[in-house]
Amino acid sequence: MSKKRGLSFSELASLLEELEGISSNISLRDKLAEFFKGKKGKIIKYSSYFILGRVGPKYEDINLGFGNKTMIKIIAGAFDEKEDKVKKIFDKKGDLGDTAEKLNKRKRSSLMLEDVYKKLHKIKDISGRGSQEKRAEEFSELMKKAKGKEAKYIVRIALEKMRLGVGEMTVLEAFAKAFTDDIENKKKIEKSFNVCTDIGELGESLSKHGLKGAKRFSITIGRPVEAMLAQRVKKVSDILEKIKGDKIAAEEKYDGERVQIHKDGNDIKLFSRRLEDITHQFPDLVEYVKDYVKSKKVVLDGEIIAYKKGKILSFQKLMQRRRKYDVKEYRKKIPVVVFLFDILYLNGKSLLKKPYPERRKKLENAVDKKSKKIRLAKRKVSKKFDVIKKFFKKSIDKGLEGIIVKSTAKDSVYQPGNRGWLWIKWKKEYSEGMKEAIDAVVVGSFHGKGKRKGGFGALLCAVFNKDKDRFETFTKVGTGFTDNDFKVIGKKLKKIETGNRPKRLKVKKNMKPDIYYKPKLVIEIIGAEITRSPSHTAAEKNGKGLALRFPRFQRVREDKAPDDATTIKEIKQLKK
Ligand code: AMP
């Protein structure tokens, strides 16, 4: 390793290869920590992205634009092979990284980690006419310099298919071990990650300053923080017990897509709940922000709703706006408005530590109140709980989902990524005695019979164990699907099929599905009760996991990432 130029890419590739052969989460973490230890700065930054199969932080749109077809062409060109042969090997291996490795005969390479990072960024930045070809050319050049093992991982990074079974939480824990010598510090590091959502930056800082490096981050424009979340209660009277402050504030709860708006003059960016950059999907919203948000530099939090002729349209309709193409047409077809409920940053200052009443006042001053497109969440503030109950009823009568009760106490700060008691949701379903909906990740399916032949009969669903950074099965759902749901979900599942059990999934032998899926698709299900079952692995104790009985499919939650699925911690709370 030359000191001046950092780490060879081959060293990282060796690590990736080792990680691929490990299935235990603890061993993955330890191996990662061993690699991180003693390394510093950009090496940590670049390798953290690559280990997670990305070229940069999750909120940056860093798609290199290569599909399988293009990649086959590139591999064929780079290694002087016929496309047919590449395709054949790909069909057999099922992975283009493995295919590239097989065809690459080079024994030596002088690629450095930094070279690969910079080259991939250079490729990403190519735009305009003929950019597809130019990108492919540059990528091919990179491949020609790589040896087999390196080519394999470069292809996987470019396709965002790393397949190591390493999630963000495992990387954070490895940071804790490597840079603070104490795994227990993971919680503190995670808290910091909720503010600085760039894992590379965070890793770099920790590698230089130890645990102190976790405290250096605050909210800045252009880098989204994790969204603050709401707790749930079983009985409405529990709200009173949990909420602090001499007054209670309740806001209408809108059922749309969470959005974090970053405005820096005329430069506007929109981030989803999963922190994806969704600016290009909502050119209308960008205009509204320019027109009706008065503050120059500001970060706002709110909910996008599909809204036409004075009526709120369904969540499903809104989801049709999640698209790369025909954006203009859909802008007309499905117009949107946004309901703002928080402000996180204003003209150079973070507001995260300010109490809610102060933030709300600042929010009210930040927008043009006459606007019908940028609205404020409607709310009621009162000392009397009866008034809040009435407000809830009125919200339901209006066709809304429910309310979010918000603490007005001194400590009612904005907690990025946290589901605490400062916000409590109260939904219609609770008052009707139905259980709260669960957001579960589809990890497998069982073949359908009769009318459902050829498709799935039931879906195996998992919840997220954040501590262990893995998915644990919780229920098998076969009801609640319309014919259209079967079609739409079937199509989505086809794309994420995988031959083997995904590494981050824990499943019982007696629940082995006919087909496994990569944990990507999140669906909402409701159920009657949570019990212990020998067939599931969620929060397993004495061979029995928690399981949802009589589950019923509600809808696909495209706005949620698998790591946003309901967690084991929440399930345990619901069981109480
Ligand atoms: P849930 O997704 O059921 O956990 O409910 C929390 C979500 O409700 C948040 O993530 C927001 O997207 C949404 N929401 C709608 N209206 C509000 C509001 N007034 N305050 C906070 N969150 C809201």
Side-chain angles (χ1 to χ4, degrees):
M1 181 176 114
S2 115
K3 255 197 175 144
K4 219 170 120 216
R5 298 205 52 218
L7 191 80
S8 72
F9 189 72
S10 153
E11 204 172 317
L12 179 76
S14 298
L15 168 79
L16 299 176
E17 194 172 39
E18 274 189 80
L19 293 175
E20 213 179 329
I22 299 175
S23 55
S24 135
N25 224 285
I26 294 171
S27 309
L28 283 170
R29 176 200 69 200
D30 289 347
K31 187 89 271 139
L32 273 172
E34 195 186 304
F35 171 82
F36 289 147
K37 197 152 179 97
K39 296 192 178 68
K40 255 198 188 145
K42 296 280 182 274
I43 292 179
I44 297 298
K45 177 172 170 164
Y46 304 153
S47 48
S48 312
Y49 297 144
F50 287 166
I51 288 161
L52 289 165
R54 303 191 209 121
V55 188
K58 57 184 164 189
Y59 54 83
E60 268 178 26
D61 188 5
I62 323 195
N63 193 320
L64 298 187
F66 300 141
N68 285 354
K69 258 195 195 151
T70 321
M71 194 54 88
I72 288 172
K73 262 194 195 146
I74 298 176
I75 292 174
F79 305 132
D80 248 343
E81 289 290 352
K82 291 217 165 69
E83 271 179 47
D84 271 357
K85 179 165 175 198
V86 179
K87 210 175 159 294
K88 251 192 203 143
I89 298 176
F90 173 44
D91 284 344
K92 210 164 118 199
K93 295 208 171 264
D95 180 276
L96 280 168
D98 291 342
T99 309
E101 182 181 23
K102 184 161 170 62
L103 290 169
N104 184 336
K105 302 277 181 316
R106 231 179 124 89
K107 292 276 177 299
R108 282 154 64 91
S109 132
S110 54
L111 278 180
M112 301 301 284
L113 177 72
E114 189 175 344
D115 298 338
V116 178
Y117 177 82
K118 289 199 168 145
K119 187 75 161 185
L120 292 176
H121 270 258
K122 185 176 167 199
I123 294 172
K124 165 194 83 107
D125 291 337
I126 297 174
S127 62
R129 262 181 120 202
S131 56
Q132 261 296 72
E133 287 75 20
K134 276 188 215 144
R135 282 180 177 198
E137 242 168 63
E138 293 277 349
F139 192 77
S140 174
E141 213 178 274
L142 183 63
M143 296 277 278
K144 281 183 194 160
K145 287 189 187 148
K147 60 179 181 182
K149 203 163 47 180
E150 294 174 324
K152 165 174 169 177
Y153 292 108
I154 292 174
V155 166
R156 287 199 186 171
I157 291 165
L159 293 174
E160 294 183 81
K161 285 181 184 151
M162 189 45 92
R163 312 169 76 168
L164 300 178
V166 174
E168 281 170 342
M169 291 302 134
T170 307
V171 175
L172 295 185
E173 207 167 273
F175 284 165
K177 188 163 182 202
F179 304 131
T180 77
D181 284 324
D182 185 358
I183 289 171
E184 293 303 313
N185 282 328
K186 184 219 165 192
K187 281 267 170 285
K188 285 185 189 149
I189 293 176
E190 193 187 328
K191 217 169 152 193
S192 174
F193 184 51
N194 286 332
V195 179
C196 168
T197 48
D198 182 337
I199 203 154
E201 285 282 327
L202 178 59
E204 182 178 347
S205 176
L206 289 164
S207 74
K208 288 183 186 157
H209 311 286
L211 192 58
K212 271 195 221 129
K215 297 197 186 107
R216 301 160 68 88
F217 296 102
S218 180
I219 181 168
T220 57
I221 289 214
R223 185 179 69 201
V225 299
E226 287 287 344
M228 178 162 169
L229 303 166
Q231 266 288 7
R232 42 185 135 201
V233 283
K234 275 195 166 171
K235 300 194 297 288
V236 70
S237 56
D238 290 348
I239 296 176
L240 265 185
E241 240 170 69
K242 295 285 186 189
I243 208 88
K244 288 193 283 176
D246 53 351
K247 284 186 188 156
I248 311 167
E251 294 181 357
E252 287 181 344
K253 184 177 192 302
Y254 308 97
D255 186 18
E257 173 162 16
R258 185 84 175 252
V259 66
Q260 200 175 109
I261 303 171
H262 287 234
K263 175 178 189 255
D264 187 358
N266 273 337
D267 186 8
I268 285 142
K269 280 209 165 105
L270 310 174
F271 297 101
S272 74
R273 155 89 195 258
R274 317 168 59 153
L275 306 190
E276 300 153 310
D277 187 336
I278 50 167
T279 314
H280 60 279
Q281 287 172 27
F282 296 103
D284 36 356
L285 199 49
V286 171
E287 277 170 29
Y288 305 152
V289 172
K290 273 187 198 158
D291 291 346
Y292 304 117
V293 175
K294 296 183 289 184
S295 311
K296 249 198 167 144
K297 280 179 175 243
V298 64
V299 177
L300 303 161
D301 193 2
E303 191 89 354
I304 304 175
I305 298 287
Y307 196 83
K308 203 170 188 178
K309 294 181 185 148
K311 266 200 189 133
I312 292 180
L313 306 180
S314 69
F315 176 79
Q316 277 77 6
K317 272 256 167 333
L318 176 68
M319 283 299 114
Q320 291 181 26
R321 291 280 311 250
R322 288 198 144 238
R323 54 178 56 249
K324 270 197 189 139
Y325 308 104
D326 306 325
V327 172
K328 257 191 189 160
E329 184 193 333
Y330 273 80
R331 168 187 175 159
K332 272 204 201 115
K333 234 169 145 173
I334 306 169
V336 296
V337 301
V338 68
F339 283 93
L340 296 175
F341 46 76
D342 224 312
I343 180 167
L344 317 185
Y345 175 99
L346 183 64
N347 300 333
K349 287 203 184 94
S350 164
L351 301 179
L352 296 179
K353 301 247 164 72
K354 302 281 182 217
Y356 162 73
E358 194 180 326
R359 296 202 309 278
R360 174 76 193 199
K361 215 180 256 162
K362 287 206 159 63
L363 173 65
E364 287 173 13
N365 291 330
V367 297
D368 180 346
K369 286 194 197 64
K370 289 193 294 284
S371 167
K372 291 256 184 298
K373 303 292 186 188
I374 302 264
R375 303 177 177 211
L376 293 176
K378 210 169 160 195
R379 65 174 198 157
K380 192 101 212 161
V381 184
S382 172
K383 281 188 171 159
K384 295 190 189 125
F385 198 48
D386 273 349
V387 175
I388 301 297
K389 279 198 205 154
K390 254 188 218 145
F391 180 69
F392 169 73
K393 197 167 173 304
K394 234 170 119 183
S395 308
I396 298 300
D397 291 344
K398 263 168 87 172
L400 294 169
E401 241 194 332
I403 56 173
I404 303 229
V405 180
K406 296 188 174 178
S407 164
T408 59
K410 273 207 185 91
D411 66 350
S412 57
V413 296
Y414 190 96
Q415 298 177 316
N418 194 37
R419 197 183 284 284
W421 293 108
L422 296 174
W423 289 8
I424 301 174
K425 53 187 172 181
W426 182 249
K427 290 208 234 176
K428 192 171 121 202
E429 289 94 331
Y430 311 170
S431 59
E432 287 168 353
M434 271 161 70
K435 272 267 152 60
E436 160 73 328
I438 306 281
D439 295 318
V441 185
V442 181
V443 291
S445 71
F446 300 87
H447 297 322
K449 291 187 193 119
K451 230 179 91 185
R452 294 187 189 172
K453 211 166 171 200
F456 66 84
L459 300 178
L460 181 61
C461 297
V463 285
F464 185 45
N465 186 331
K466 206 167 179 178
D467 290 333
K468 298 199 170 132
D469 202 6
R470 69 178 180 206
F471 299 95
E472 299 177 353
T473 76
F474 182 54
T475 199
K476 183 176 150 184
V477 58
T479 54
F481 302 97
T482 63
D483 288 350
N484 192 46
D485 290 335
F486 274 112
K487 251 206 286 192
V488 173
I489 295 172
K491 244 193 198 164
K492 287 185 195 297
L493 291 178
K494 240 276 61 71
K495 290 191 197 146
I496 53 172
E497 263 186 44
T498 172
N500 301 315
R501 176 181 61 80
K503 257 179 147 184
R504 291 168 79 200
L505 171 67
K506 196 172 173 222
V507 64
K508 288 270 178 138
K509 274 202 190 99
N510 62 354
M511 253 305 150
K512 192 172 172 287
D514 294 319
I515 304 174
Y516 278 116
Y517 301 109
K518 291 177 202 153
K520 284 197 183 262
L521 183 71
V522 178
I523 61 172
E524 187 178 305
I525 20 188
I526 52 166
E529 66 175 320
I530 297 169
T531 53
R532 286 245 164 225
S533 147
S535 303
H536 289 286
T537 55
E540 195 175 337
K541 229 165 78 192
N542 304 327
K544 288 182 174 179
L546 293 176
L548 183 69
R549 292 188 71 203
F550 306 115
R552 196 176 168 77
F553 169 81
Q554 296 290 101
R555 58 184 172 171
V556 174
R557 291 296 306 237
E558 255 158 318
D559 56 326
K560 294 205 168 167
D563 293 9
D564 294 327
T566 304
T567 59
I568 292 287
K569 201 168 141 202
E570 288 173 74
I571 300 282
K572 280 186 183 160
Q573 221 174 47
L574 281 172
K575 168 98 173 42
K576 270 186 204 158

